[in-house]
Amino acid sequence: DLKVVIDAGHGGTDSGAVSSSGVREKDLTLAIARDMYNKFRSRGVDTTLIRNTDETITPTERVNRILSAYGDNPNVIVISNHINAAGSDIQGAEGAEVIYALRNNDTLARNILQSLGNAGQKMRKFYQRRLPSDPSKDYYFIHRNTGSRTQPVIVEYGFIDNPTDLAKLQNNYQEYVDTT
């Protein structure tokens, strides 16, 4: 009964993070999401892709598309694909992170991160993040607004501003998707 909703982070006028060489997060996340969609479908998993083109989607529209796919059900996994950026705050940061919703346990996030590690990516951490103004709520809207029963995760595959991570992402993202 497992159903998967795949979100390609950013898009359209929202490029997300950009590397010093001009690689845009929105383009990498779309490539990752398309590959992931095709692989889940080939395995017979009910799967929906939120964004299949370079389009701008508001947070509200993104959540509406997620919930309209299969509803607010515990057998719905939402994978929101992203690429991190450290900027000047954390020079040399590298590796994958997985953020999961306050309503969920860490099993899915831990398994995804371990799978990325098995595929050769450095593993940073899996964690939850709370809204500073209201710690009872998730920081990210993709967790906070996608119902009360879905299992949303944000997968940060690496750091776009780290040349080593960027090269790994560009050359190995299909392998990372295979393990997710």
Side-chain angles (χ1 to χ4, degrees):
D1 291 335
L2 182 68
K3 299 177 185 329
V4 179
V5 180
I6 301 168
D7 175 39
H10 306 282
T13 59
D14 176 8
S15 65
V18 181
S19 75
S20 60
S21 61
V23 176
R24 300 175 301 188
E25 179 180 4
K26 70 175 185 174
D27 299 327
L28 274 175
T29 61
L30 183 57
I32 290 167
R34 284 177 174 163
D35 192 46
M36 186 178 287
Y37 173 81
N38 290 331
K39 287 176 178 163
F40 275 119
R41 296 289 290 191
S42 72
R43 294 178 182 133
V45 177
D46 285 337
T47 307
T48 296
L49 185 58
I50 296 303
R51 174 173 79 84
N52 194 28
T53 62
D54 185 19
E55 66 176 305
T56 302
I57 305 173
T58 66
T60 300
E61 178 61 23
R62 200 173 294 268
V63 167
N64 288 342
R65 290 183 188 187
I66 289 168
L67 291 174
S68 68
Y70 305 109
D72 181 14
N73 293 299
N75 63 336
V76 175
I77 294 173
V78 180
I79 303 172
S80 187
N81 295 290
H82 290 269
I83 313 299
N84 236 329
S88 59
D89 297 340
I90 315 170
Q91 290 294 329
E94 67 178 311
E97 299 179 343
V98 182
I99 308 138
Y100 63 101
L102 297 176
R103 67 179 171 267
N104 300 128
N105 65 40
D106 66 6
T107 303
L108 178 61
R110 185 173 11 91
N111 288 342
I112 290 172
L113 188 62
Q114 184 62 57
S115 293
L116 290 169
N118 292 344
Q121 180 56 302
K122 180 178 178 178
M123 298 184 307
R124 286 178 56 88
K125 60 184 174 178
F126 58 92
Y127 63 99
Q128 298 170 314
R129 187 165 179 197
R130 296 174 183 275
L131 191 62
S133 62
D134 184 350
S136 70
K137 294 183 179 177
D138 282 290
Y139 179 84
Y140 297 102
F141 78 87
I142 208 85
H143 295 142
R144 192 173 56 244
N145 300 335
T146 52
S148 62
R149 298 169 14 138
T150 62
Q151 297 184 61
V153 291
I154 297 172
V155 181
E156 299 274 7
Y157 290 89
F159 285 80
I160 203 165
D161 50 3
N162 178 310
T164 301
D165 260 7
L166 181 57
K168 283 182 182 180
L169 286 165
Q170 290 176 305
N171 297 324
N172 301 330
Y173 77 83
Q174 291 100 342
E175 187 175 337
Y176 294 167
V177 168
D178 281 342
T179 65
T180 302

